[in-house]
Amino acid sequence: MEFKKEIQLTRDLTYNHDLDNNDNFSPDDQWLVYDTRTELGGIGGNGTIEKVHVVTGEKKVLYHIPENKVYGPGVGAVSYSHTENQVAFIHGLLNCSETSPYQQWRRSGVIIDENRPEVPIFMDARDVEAPFTVGALRGGTHRHEWSGDGKFIGFTYNDAIMKQLEDSTGSIHNLRTIGVSKRNSPVVVENENAENFSGEWFSVLVVNVVPEPTPGSDEISRAARDSWVGHNGYLKKNGKRQRARAFIGTVKNSTGESVDEVFLVDIPEDITQPNENSFLEGTATNLPAPPKGANQRRLTFTSESERPGCEGIVRSSNDGSLLAFLAYDKNHVKQVYAISPLGGEPQQLTFHKNDVLSGVRWHPNRQEIIYVQNNSIHRKKIDAQESEVLTQPTNDAPTNLVWSHDGKTIAYNRMVKNAEGEKTKQIFLINV
């Protein structure tokens, strides 16, 4: 079997180069963006966002916090825009301290325009003091992903007000959910300080979550592992394109056990309109409510089966016709499945004897996927019987696969030992 030649792009073994399952290629495919977090310190302990040239290996620092501490502020989980030389990433609050460290509900989304490096553009406004501000959030955003046209950024979210309520009552309120921000809609927050600040984009939550879903219902207690559907949405039955995000939602089966299923939520173009009797900005006892037109629906129904549950980031084909995820087959082996955004029966795409080890990334133009199995990168056409093994199996599996916009290059992380025997995360490439 002939494998693709692996190119080690980064060679400084003193620190990590973490792609973190994001959209890391620049619009022209010349650069890859990453963070430098350590395994121990995580995002809170990391102060640097860098990029590396895919041909020359030249590195540039895009953003750096000079005196970042182990407790924050911290930066990480960075993604490129598909349309402009801009990146978005997590940024911890500027007032992080030993007593108030970086947390899921104490962070924001920051954008860096490469024409003005080191100048942070705060995407999502934050307001944790009642009365709350419409278009602002009250917690922390994470895994920022640009839509194909660059008009929206999607993210996962945890709410500081709900965390406070959970701490004070002992009841569950701190639930992970999903939101979006829309560009060119600045939000001004009065009485700005280190906890409250204005943002350049208008932000809302788009998924309803509840602490205790009714067993057997479509209610969910958690929403995450999300991504955009298609480069510009999916085709509805009426022939119109619909912007949407697909995600994993946690339901309860009929016996009250938690099961992860695939869901989809339609994203309206106008996210400023509230539903009747709900508040986009939230209340002291409720999360911010989704806008009018943010309709969520369940796509998979594995909860009562012998092999319940779905996994991985739900990834969409470029045309929006298929959503890929991981689930168990009849032999209890984890495989890649796909389902239409319109619903229906999931289609099994892989038939390996051992588990698929990673989520899927799609070719930018073709119905073709890549994933990790048996510690190798596999490529498979949707209508093909077998997959093509691209890389030789290794002790450490490749991780964080990402496909270039032109479909000619796959980037990924591998752990590499330095002279002291310590492993660091490095970036590798194969040309396909």
Side-chain angles (χ1 to χ4, degrees):
M1 183 179 295
E2 187 174 344
F3 300 109
K4 299 292 183 183
K5 179 184 177 182
E6 296 190 66
I7 302 164
Q8 185 174 342
L9 183 60
T10 59
R11 296 184 173 274
D12 188 334
L13 304 185
T14 63
Y15 69 97
N16 288 326
H17 306 70
D18 200 328
L19 298 171
D20 193 43
N21 273 313
N22 294 314
D23 294 332
N24 306 88
F25 276 97
S26 59
D28 62 5
D29 285 333
Q30 293 299 297
W31 297 87
L32 282 162
V33 69
Y34 55 91
D35 68 55
T36 64
R37 77 183 81 167
T38 63
E39 306 305 312
L40 185 63
I43 291 174
N46 176 57
T48 306
I49 301 293
E50 295 183 349
K51 68 174 182 175
V52 59
H53 195 274
V54 298
V55 177
T56 67
E58 175 193 4
K59 291 180 180 179
K60 291 185 178 181
V61 174
L62 292 179
Y63 187 74
H64 179 66
I65 302 174
E67 296 182 6
N68 196 72
K69 307 294 185 185
V70 66
Y71 48 75
V75 292
V78 57
S79 282
Y80 255 113
S81 166
H82 306 289
T83 59
E84 299 174 83
N85 290 323
Q86 296 183 350
V87 298
F89 52 89
I90 295 169
H91 197 304
L93 299 188
L94 298 177
N95 67 340
C96 283
S97 65
E98 289 187 74
T99 55
S100 297
Y102 169 90
Q103 297 280 8
Q104 292 178 336
W105 50 90
R106 289 179 48 78
R107 55 190 182 184
S108 180
V110 158
I111 295 169
I112 289 292
D113 188 321
E114 293 188 17
N115 294 320
R116 300 176 66 213
E118 297 291 341
V119 180
I121 302 167
F122 283 84
M123 180 192 77
D124 43 310
R126 189 175 193 269
D127 186 0
V128 294
E129 297 176 11
F132 307 112
T133 303
V134 175
L137 299 173
R138 304 111 48 98
T141 58
H142 167 230
R143 269 201 74 246
H144 305 92
E145 183 191 36
W146 306 72
S147 60
D149 59 10
K151 293 180 180 179
F152 285 79
I153 289 178
F155 50 80
T156 52
Y157 176 80
N158 284 81
D159 192 90
I161 303 302
M162 294 297 98
K163 178 62 169 67
Q164 291 173 4
L165 186 62
E166 182 169 296
D167 290 346
S168 64
T169 63
S171 301
I172 299 171
H173 293 283
N174 180 22
L175 307 173
R176 173 154 286 191
T177 186
I178 293 165
V180 301
S181 296
K182 189 172 185 180
R183 70 185 307 170
N184 298 328
S185 304
V187 175
V188 176
V189 173
E190 303 294 335
N191 303 318
E192 288 198 43
N193 53 47
E195 292 280 343
N196 301 329
F197 42 84
S198 300
E200 295 302 309
W201 296 42
F202 190 98
S203 302
V204 294
L205 300 187
V206 293
V207 171
N208 281 307
V209 289
V210 297
E212 293 291 343
T214 302
S217 74
D218 293 345
E219 295 177 337
I220 59 175
S221 59
R222 187 178 194 270
R225 316 294 289 176
D226 50 311
S227 69
W228 290 107
V229 177
H231 186 77
N232 62 341
Y234 69 95
L235 203 59
K236 298 173 73 173
K237 291 181 179 178
N238 62 9
K240 293 183 179 180
R241 282 269 162 194
Q242 174 63 55
R243 195 184 297 273
R245 283 186 79 72
F247 63 95
I248 297 289
T250 304
V251 304
K252 294 247 188 229
N253 66 13
S254 58
T255 59
E257 297 173 305
S258 293
V259 179
D260 289 340
E261 301 279 11
V262 177
F263 281 74
L264 178 140
V265 58
D266 291 335
I267 308 297
E269 291 303 307
D270 183 359
I271 59 172
T272 67
Q273 301 303 310
N275 280 301
E276 189 176 355
N277 300 320
S278 66
F279 300 92
L280 291 180
E281 68 274 29
T283 70
T285 55
N286 290 289
L287 279 164
K292 187 176 182 179
N295 303 313
Q296 73 188 60
R297 52 194 163 86
R298 181 174 173 177
L299 297 180
T300 63
F301 297 85
T302 72
S303 59
E304 306 300 332
S305 69
E306 292 181 13
R307 294 164 294 276
C310 303
E311 298 181 27
I313 297 173
V314 184
R315 299 281 191 185
S316 172
S317 58
N318 185 68
D319 66 357
S321 66
L322 289 174
L323 307 175
F325 59 96
L326 303 183
Y328 288 101
D329 68 8
K330 62 183 179 181
N331 300 314
H332 206 70
V333 176
K334 199 180 297 182
Q335 308 282 5
V336 179
Y337 286 77
I339 193 168
S340 165
L342 302 177
E345 279 298 312
Q347 172 188 0
Q348 186 174 340
L349 300 185
T350 64
F351 298 87
H352 295 289
K353 294 181 180 179
N354 300 305
D355 287 350
V356 172
L357 301 177
S358 79
V360 162
R361 300 307 295 259
W362 290 82
H363 188 280
N365 301 307
R366 300 197 293 262
Q367 298 293 72
E368 193 172 304
I369 58 174
I370 53 173
Y371 54 92
V372 178
Q373 196 273 336
N374 192 32
N375 287 10
S376 298
I377 298 174
H378 288 239
R379 174 172 60 177
K380 186 179 187 296
K381 294 179 180 178
I382 297 305
D383 56 1
Q385 288 296 313
E386 300 291 333
S387 63
E388 177 188 3
V389 184
L390 299 180
T391 62
Q392 192 167 0
T394 52
N395 289 332
D396 287 310
T399 59
N400 300 332
L401 309 186
V402 56
W403 219 324
S404 61
H405 297 284
D406 63 10
K408 296 179 180 178
T409 306
I410 297 168
Y412 51 97
N413 281 136
R414 274 197 188 282
M415 301 301 288
V416 179
K417 281 186 180 179
N418 61 20
E420 289 73 39
E422 299 168 335
K423 292 181 179 180
T424 55
K425 195 172 287 186
Q426 303 299 322
I427 297 174
F428 285 72
L429 307 171
I430 53 174
N431 294 315
V432 293

